[in-house]
């Protein structure tokens, strides 16, 4: 009987969308995320038209693909919203193994696809899947379950604190091999943040943080191109046509935008001056066309979505829903890491690194996983509200 009670019913799947309490969701988070998705579609379209027309003969090539990805993403969000959180918790190990298998598969010639010296994609027909995006989400699901089921062990014992990294370090190593240093930093940063919020002592947290920072430093020193990126961003004007080219072009875009921008579609830097204008540097094009005011408004929306997600975790933890809380924390920390790194790269505060901006950059895997994560967050808040109503009705 207890086993049957753990199996979600059909009503639990469809109720957030079709039940008596349908659409009883966190509307501020949903509205902000949808605004970012709409803005992202507009900016990807604007930033990619000249490149698509020149290279592919179709100025709407990337816009159409992004629109398709957006449709898939919204469907994935609705699906994630319909999945009870207990299923994510129960299937955390299969999802973790799936994430590791995908990271291994992408390195196998014939399965993985090499682009610009990196093995980060698996070709499935006309689309490319980036396994690292799914692997990061599955790792967060696994760690959220671990923090719930090993809570006392994590707080009181060194081995309980170290054990999850016996899984996460191999995943980080696979990401480094691709190479995808940015995804590695985001994954490990989110994991460390989740452990700290899960109750790890300050001394162990500082020790772990110092160790990871030292390891990241060694990875930078052992690879000349990483060291070149690290030193090049400090003064990109020393080599404006070499290592500092992308950053100098991005800074020119920010300078041309001034306060109010040059107008939507009027960017000069996107016309073959700024590489990857619709992916890694879409924020620079946004700043050029919409100015400092527009860039700050977009950044404020991104920060609102990330901080609101943290609050969903805080409210769930306050109500005793620990798996939901840690899962929300993990998703929010991943978004925070990606936002700060991408925007930091665009404005010259961090070394140049290829990392998408959540909700805004071009890319199917990133967009769909962002939408899945959004669906999970909305489900977290929905289940918390239903639990509170049930308690209120019982009283």
């Amino acid at each position: 009987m207890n086993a049957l009670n753990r199996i979600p019913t059909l009503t639990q799947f469809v109720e957030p969308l079709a039940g008596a309490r349908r659409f009883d969701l966190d509307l501020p988070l949903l509205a902000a995320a949808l605004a970012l998705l709409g803005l992202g579609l507009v900016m990807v379209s604007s930033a990619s038209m000249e490149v698509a027309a020149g290279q592919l003969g179709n100025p709407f090539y990337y816009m159409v693909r992004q629109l398709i990805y957006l449709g898939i993403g919204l469907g994935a969000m609705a699906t994630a919203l319909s999945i009870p959180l207990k299923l994510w918790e129960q299937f955390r190990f299969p999802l973790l193994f799936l994430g590791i298998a995908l990271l291994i598969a992408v390195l196998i010639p014939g399965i993985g696809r090499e682009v610009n010296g990196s093995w980060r994609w698996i070709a499935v027909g006309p689309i490319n899947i980036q396994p690292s995006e799914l692997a990061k989400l599955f790792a967060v699901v696994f760690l959220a379950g671990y923090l719930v089921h090993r809570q006392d062990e994590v707080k009181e014992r060194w081995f309980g604190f170290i054990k999850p990294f016996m899984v996460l370090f191999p995943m980080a190593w696979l990401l480094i091999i691709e190479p995808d240093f940015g995804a590695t930093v985001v994954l490990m940063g989110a994991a460390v943040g989740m452990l700290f919020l899960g109750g790890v002592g300050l001394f162990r947290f500082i020790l772990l943080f110092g160790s990871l920072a030292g390891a990241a430093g060694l990875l930078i020193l052992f690879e000349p191109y990483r060291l070149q990126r690290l030193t090049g961003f400090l003064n990109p004007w020393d080599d404006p046509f070499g290592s500092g080219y992308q950053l100098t072009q991005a800074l020119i875009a920010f300078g041309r935008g001034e306060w109010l921008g040059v107008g939507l579609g009027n960017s000069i830097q996107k016309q073959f001056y700024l590489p990857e204008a619709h992916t890694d540097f879409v924020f620079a094009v946004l700043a050029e066309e919409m100015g400092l005011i527009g860039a700050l408004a977009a950044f404020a929306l991104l920060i609102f979505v990330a901080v609101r997600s943290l609050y969903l975790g805080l409210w769930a933890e306050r109500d005793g829903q620990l798996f939901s809380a840690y899962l929300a924390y993990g998703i929010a920390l991943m978004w925070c890491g990606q936002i700060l790194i991408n925007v930091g790269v665009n404005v010259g505060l961090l070394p140049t690194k290829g990392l998408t901006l959540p909700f805004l950059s071009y890319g199917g895997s990133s967009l769909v996983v962002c939408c899945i994560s959004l669906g999970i967050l909305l489900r977290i808040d929905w289940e918390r509200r239903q639990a509170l109503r049930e308690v209120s009705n019982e009283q």
Side-chain angles (χ1 to χ4, degrees):
M1 189 66 180
N2 291 335
L4 291 175
N5 289 336
R6 291 196 298 267
I7 300 175
T9 64
L10 180 61
T11 302
Q12 290 176 286
F13 282 95
V14 302
E15 194 171 1
L17 295 172
R21 300 193 182 279
R22 60 186 179 275
F23 305 124
D24 184 16
L25 307 173
D26 187 84
L27 294 181
L29 175 63
L30 180 59
L34 291 177
L36 285 171
L37 288 170
L39 178 62
L41 179 61
V42 171
M43 292 313 306
V44 166
S45 303
S46 176
S48 64
M49 280 188 173
E50 279 74 12
V51 173
Q55 296 179 348
L56 303 168
N58 179 7
F60 302 107
Y61 177 82
Y62 292 110
M63 184 192 76
V64 171
R65 289 175 71 90
Q66 186 76 351
L67 189 59
I68 293 172
Y69 295 145
L70 180 57
I72 296 172
L74 292 176
M77 180 188 73
T79 302
L81 177 57
S82 302
I83 298 175
L85 291 167
K86 63 173 65 176
L87 282 184
W88 289 100
E89 187 174 0
Q90 289 173 2
F91 286 92
R92 63 189 184 278
F93 287 108
L95 289 174
L96 177 68
F97 294 142
L98 175 60
I100 295 174
L102 288 172
L103 291 179
I104 294 173
V106 77
L107 299 173
I108 300 174
I111 298 178
R113 182 186 177 194
E114 184 267 338
V115 178
N116 296 328
S118 298
W119 293 83
R120 300 182 186 177
W121 296 271
I122 295 176
V124 181
I127 64 173
N128 295 320
I129 296 175
Q130 192 169 359
S132 61
E133 297 292 337
L134 285 170
K136 288 186 296 184
L137 177 60
F138 294 161
V140 166
V141 173
F142 160 75
L143 192 52
Y146 179 83
L147 289 172
V148 172
H149 294 275
R150 297 288 186 271
Q151 191 172 34
D152 293 336
E153 192 176 341
V154 169
K155 292 180 179 179
E156 298 173 4
R157 299 179 186 175
W158 278 95
F159 187 63
F161 167 63
I162 295 172
K163 217 176 350 182
F165 288 99
M166 297 171 66
V167 174
L168 295 175
F169 280 145
M171 294 185 72
W173 178 69
L174 290 169
L175 288 170
I176 289 294
I177 292 176
E178 291 184 6
D180 195 345
F181 188 67
T184 308
V185 171
V186 170
L187 172 62
M188 299 308 293
V192 171
M194 289 176 70
L195 284 167
F196 180 70
L197 293 172
V200 170
L202 185 60
F203 172 74
R204 282 181 289 172
F205 174 76
I206 293 175
L207 182 63
L208 174 64
F209 185 80
S211 301
L212 291 177
L218 290 175
L219 288 172
I220 291 171
L221 292 175
F222 287 158
E223 290 290 347
Y225 80 93
R226 291 191 186 120
L227 184 60
Q228 186 179 20
R229 283 184 177 183
L230 181 64
T231 56
F233 93 100
L234 296 174
N235 189 3
W237 303 104
D238 280 345
D239 189 12
F241 299 105
S243 61
Y245 181 75
Q246 282 182 302
L247 180 54
T248 54
Q249 297 303 314
L251 293 176
I252 290 171
F254 277 92
R256 291 195 74 252
E258 298 185 351
W259 287 98
L260 298 177
V262 297
L264 187 63
N266 294 327
S267 167
I268 298 297
Q269 294 307 106
K270 68 183 180 184
Q271 299 180 14
F272 300 94
Y273 291 102
L274 181 60
E276 310 298 337
H278 59 296
T279 56
D280 301 338
F281 286 90
V282 69
F283 191 74
V285 176
L286 186 152
E288 183 181 4
E289 295 189 347
M290 298 187 177
L292 178 63
I293 302 300
L296 288 177
F299 185 69
L301 268 179
L302 288 165
I303 294 300
F304 174 81
V305 167
V307 173
R308 185 74 178 185
S309 303
L310 286 172
Y311 269 101
L312 292 185
L314 177 64
W315 295 331
E317 184 176 10
R318 182 193 60 192
D319 294 333
Q321 301 176 10
L322 295 183
F323 176 76
S324 299
Y326 296 137
L327 185 53
Y329 289 150
I331 292 172
L333 290 170
M334 281 200 304
W335 284 349
C336 286
Q338 288 187 234
I339 291 167
L340 294 178
I341 291 174
N342 184 279
V343 175
V345 166
N346 274 251
V347 300
L349 293 177
L350 292 173
T352 302
K353 184 71 200 80
L355 197 66
T356 57
L357 188 59
F359 299 103
L360 291 180
S361 293
Y362 172 80
S365 297
S366 174
L367 188 65
V368 171
V369 172
C370 277
C371 289
I372 293 172
S373 302
L374 176 62
I376 292 173
L377 289 167
L378 293 173
R379 179 77 192 199
I380 287 171
D381 184 66
W382 184 85
E383 287 196 8
R384 183 185 67 85
R385 292 170 187 246
Q386 306 319 304
L388 289 176
R389 285 194 177 90
E390 290 175 5
V391 171
S392 178
N393 292 334
E394 290 175 0
Q395 292 177 348

